[in-house]
């Protein structure tokens, strides 16, 4: 059974085009304009290069097909239409096929600053630029294949790996300033500032077993971010025996949460907020 949501993905017509309204295009334009400014000097160079390569429209919601065309050219990836919430199994199957699942609805004006569900601005602006990067694209592909083969219990651990990298990852190359690469941060005006300035959140050097053991919540600013050195590190990690590391993490148990308990904990949800099935 699908989790309740007030949003429904917009369906493409027979030619694959979604007819967005003027109001939806205006929300995209506003989000794009302010986020482009917000991430300046904070997003990693690879993300900014990806934005350039994609050449996303600034004044209207992009069609998935036009984004796919550019991604295919760079790394062979595509963006695939999905309803707002999808099961884990479908999520992993799409990634394993180099298709990034994207819900196509646009957030309402009331939720301009924050919404729990991933809308098209989060999916496209937040996630697709880095899929133009070979290391990141190959890492995401390997992640999909791992998840597809994993048990339900192990998928919960894999979801944490995704959460602390693809969604909320930070990066610091030797001798360079801290940068953001996580799409969950880069598509959020509030979390871009919060994560970058770092006065309230902890930052820890990324360690895969540590990350697998770290609980998270989807409805608060993150109390902890993991920092990688570069995107190659993610790719190299994906070549390791990840399921062996999941087993190790399961044996060691979870770290104590750095947040108060909540009925709305995201712990059983995947980073894409799809229901766990
Ligand atoms: Fe996401």
């Amino acid at each position: 059974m699908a989790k309740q949501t007030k949003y429904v993905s917009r369906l493409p017509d027979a030619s694959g085009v979604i007819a967005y309204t003027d109001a939806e295009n205006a929300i995209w334009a506003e989000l794009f304009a302010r986020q482009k400014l917000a991430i300046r000097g904070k997003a990693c160079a690879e993300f900014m290069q990806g934005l350039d390569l994609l050449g996303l429209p600034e004044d209207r919601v992009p069609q998935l097909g036009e984004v796919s065309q550019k991604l295919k050219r760079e790394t062979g990836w595509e963006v695939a239409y999905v309803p707002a919430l999808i099961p884990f199994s479908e999520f992993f199957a799409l990634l394993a096929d180099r298709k990034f699942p994207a819900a196509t609805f646009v957030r309402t004006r009331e939720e301009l600053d924050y919404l729990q569900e991933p809308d098209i601005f989060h999916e496209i602006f937040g996630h697709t630029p880095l899929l133009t990067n070979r290391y990141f694209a190959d890492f995401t592909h390997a992640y999909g294949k791992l998840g597809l083969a994993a048990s339900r219990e192990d998928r919960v651990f894999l979801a944490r790996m995704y959460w602390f990298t693809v969604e909320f990852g930070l990066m610091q190359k030797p001798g360079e300033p801290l940068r953001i690469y996580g799409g969950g941060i880069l598509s959020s005006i509030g979390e871009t500032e919060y994560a970058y300035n770092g006065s309230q959140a902890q930052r820890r050097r990324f360690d895969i077993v540590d990350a697998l053991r770290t609980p998270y919540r989807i409805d608060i600013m993150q109390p902890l971010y993991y920092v990688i050195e570069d995107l190659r590190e993610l790719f190299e990690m994906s070549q390791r025996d990840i399921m062996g590391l999941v087993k190790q993490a399961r044996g060691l148990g979870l770290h104590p949460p750095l947040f108060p308990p909540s009925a709305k904990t995201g712990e059983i949800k995947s980073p894409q907020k799809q229901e766990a099935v």
Side-chain angles (χ1 to χ4, degrees), residues 5-227:
T5 168
K6 70 174 180 177
Y7 291 110
V8 178
S9 255
R10 300 290 307 280
L11 281 167
D13 65 18
S15 52
V17 173
I18 298 172
Y20 288 105
T21 64
D22 288 349
E24 287 169 327
N25 286 326
I27 289 177
W28 172 275
E30 192 172 334
L31 287 168
F32 197 105
R34 70 177 199 178
Q35 202 57 22
K36 203 171 122 182
L37 277 180
I39 66 171
R40 192 180 287 170
K42 299 187 178 78
C44 67
E46 293 85 348
F47 184 92
M48 299 310 288
Q49 282 156 11
L51 265 186
D52 276 352
L53 286 169
L54 292 177
L56 297 173
E58 303 198 13
D59 58 345
R60 62 169 175 86
V61 184
Q63 297 294 326
L64 299 189
E66 59 186 327
V67 182
S68 291
Q69 211 179 5
K70 304 268 177 62
L71 279 180
K72 265 189 201 165
R73 186 188 65 197
E74 299 300 324
T75 54
W77 274 74
E78 292 172 57
V79 189
Y81 160 84
V82 294
L85 300 160
I86 58 170
F88 263 136
S89 52
E90 196 180 328
F91 173 68
F92 287 123
L94 284 165
L95 294 183
D97 199 24
R98 292 194 178 87
K99 293 188 171 79
F100 193 82
T104 52
F105 69 88
V106 180
R107 70 190 70 180
T108 60
R109 188 156 288 283
E110 293 69 46
E111 291 194 302
L112 206 60
D113 292 346
Y114 177 76
L115 78 169
Q116 278 192 38
E117 296 160 61
D119 75 339
I120 193 163
F121 184 75
H122 168 81
E123 311 282 31
I124 301 295
F125 184 93
H127 286 305
T128 59
L130 273 193
L131 285 170
T132 62
N133 178 277
R134 175 57 63 191
Y135 286 130
F136 188 85
D138 288 352
F139 162 72
T140 312
H141 183 219
Y143 177 81
K145 288 193 286 185
L146 275 176
L148 196 57
S151 69
R152 178 181 172 151
E153 293 75 20
D154 285 346
R155 283 175 174 176
V156 178
F157 280 82
L158 289 177
R160 295 191 197 107
M161 171 175 153
Y162 191 94
W163 185 263
F164 289 111
T165 56
V166 176
E167 294 289 354
F168 290 97
L170 299 179
M171 180 197 298
Q172 189 159 23
K173 294 179 180 166
E176 292 190 22
L178 185 85
R179 290 288 179 257
I180 304 167
Y181 74 93
I185 304 175
L186 291 171
S187 58
S188 157
I189 189 148
E191 194 137 1
T192 295
E193 182 63 23
Y194 170 90
Y196 192 79
N197 289 329
S199 52
Q200 296 168 69
Q202 290 184 36
R203 291 175 188 155
R204 219 175 273 169
R205 178 76 182 92
F206 181 80
D207 173 87
I208 174 65
V209 176
D210 252 348
L212 290 169
R213 299 174 62 202
T214 305
Y216 64 83
R217 254 175 69 176
I218 65 166
D219 58 336
I220 53 171
M221 296 275 189
Q222 301 303 303
L224 166 68
Y225 299 96
Y226 283 101
V227 186

